[in-house]
Amino acid sequence: MGTAALTAYRHALRAARVAFQGDTAVLLAARSQMRSGMLDPPDKTLSPAQQAQYMEDVATYLRRNVVQATRVNTAGGPPEQHHQPRFHLNIHGDTELGDNDSIRNKTQLKAKHWPKR
Amino acid sequence: MLCSVGSRCGAGQGALLQSRQSGASAFVSKRFFAAAAGGNTLKQEDVLKRVGDVIKSFSKTGTSASNADTPAAEVTEATSFQKDLGLDSLDTVELLVAIEEEFEIEIPDKVADELKTVGETVKHILSNPEAN
């Protein structure tokens, strides 16, 4: 397997941990599927270079465009909202922000890290 | 798995198949070490042992056909990922990512492509100021 493919695989494995931090079941499933994809590519018409690029795209997508949500206790808010589900979103430094219009403006589309304390 | 500030995370905890329960605590301790030490204070034999433990847990849980009978006790500096552990190129990438997670570092692509033995990997970890 070529270096580009292995590098892409490495990037994807790392990205999976960013995207699925603490969610062992999903992390394992994602990595397992990545391995399968490396051994048996879903689209066999692509050239090796394109296959590697596809895996790089998977890595980028996982880092930027997947955000974990954890359901949290609804106590504490206004009483009328107590029965509405609330979620913590794990937006991190690589998460892409913005919507379909602002996305074309490439500046400031990344979440900022917490400032040093 | 929580790693308290000032103590070292147990060996093997960062293995590929075990994600940390709290990313925040790992993050905090990383900052602490970077600020306090300005470089890692890892001992060569400890690094070798932890790499061995990662290899051990990797062999047990990996989806690969890697040689699960190679005990971590037999892992030495001279151990080659491919020749001695029977890892293929995909396994090697997976193992190195597991080792990255154990030491909370990212091995640069160009370096990672060249790492063929445990000894080379240990040497790189020791040279990385962020490793802990």
Side-chain angles (χ1 to χ4, degrees):
Chain A
M1 204 165 296
T3 309
L6 293 173
T7 300
Y9 185 46
R10 183 183 306 122
H11 292 166
L13 290 174
R14 284 182 190 150
R17 196 170 90 94
V18 173
F20 306 124
Q21 178 109 2
D23 190 347
T24 311
V26 176
L27 175 62
L28 289 183
R31 285 179 164 173
S32 168
Q33 192 160 344
M34 285 170 185
R35 187 181 173 93
S36 312
M38 292 297 288
L39 296 171
D40 184 20
D43 183 351
K44 295 180 180 55
T45 63
L46 299 180
S47 72
Q50 287 171 321
Q51 300 281 9
Q53 186 55 48
Y54 183 87
M55 199 54 142
E56 291 284 4
D57 292 344
V58 168
T60 304
Y61 188 86
L62 285 177
R63 276 186 186 275
R64 290 187 191 165
N65 304 104
V66 174
V67 172
Q68 287 176 303
T70 313
R71 189 163 180 167
V72 293
N73 191 345
T74 53
E80 63 273 19
Q81 290 181 11
H82 279 191
H83 296 290
Q84 294 176 8
R86 286 206 216 161
F87 295 88
H88 270 309
L89 296 181
N90 180 24
I91 292 174
H92 53 75
D94 290 331
T95 306
E96 188 173 81
L97 303 178
D99 55 30
N100 285 344
D101 291 324
S102 66
I103 208 90
R104 295 185 180 92
N105 175 10
K106 292 288 182 189
T107 57
Q108 296 193 332
L109 280 180
K110 283 187 169 182
K112 287 177 184 158
H113 285 288
W114 287 96
K116 274 187 183 178
R117 275 176 284 182
Chain B
M1 188 65 68
L2 290 170
C3 310
S4 63
V5 173
S7 75
R8 199 162 281 161
C9 295
Q13 284 173 2
L16 186 68
L17 302 174
Q18 298 165 291
S19 63
R20 291 176 199 286
Q21 290 303 308
S22 169
S25 77
F27 186 69
V28 169
S29 75
K30 189 173 177 179
R31 277 279 165 78
F32 178 84
F33 275 101
N40 82 61
T41 54
L42 298 173
K43 291 201 182 75
Q44 196 261 357
E45 64 263 31
D46 294 340
V47 173
L48 180 60
K49 184 180 178 303
R50 285 165 66 193
V51 169
D53 287 342
V54 173
I55 290 171
K56 195 177 176 184
S57 60
F58 180 78
S59 302
K60 271 187 205 158
T61 50
T63 52
S64 67
S66 62
N67 184 359
D69 296 331
T70 305
E74 288 177 21
V75 171
T76 68
E77 305 247 317
T79 303
S80 157
F81 298 139
Q82 298 204 355
K83 285 178 198 156
D84 298 318
L85 298 175
L87 303 183
D88 65 20
S89 58
L90 289 184
D91 298 328
T92 306
V93 170
E94 289 167 20
L95 176 64
L96 285 173
V97 170
I99 291 172
E100 288 182 348
E101 292 176 1
E102 164 66 17
F103 292 92
E104 294 170 31
I105 56 172
E106 212 167 272
I107 302 172
D109 288 329
K110 280 184 182 174
V111 177
D113 289 338
E114 300 301 319
L115 294 177
K116 309 283 184 217
T117 67
V118 171
E120 289 165 9
T121 307
V122 169
K123 198 176 163 192
H124 173 77
I125 293 166
L126 289 170
S127 75
N128 187 325
E130 306 234 317
N132 65 71

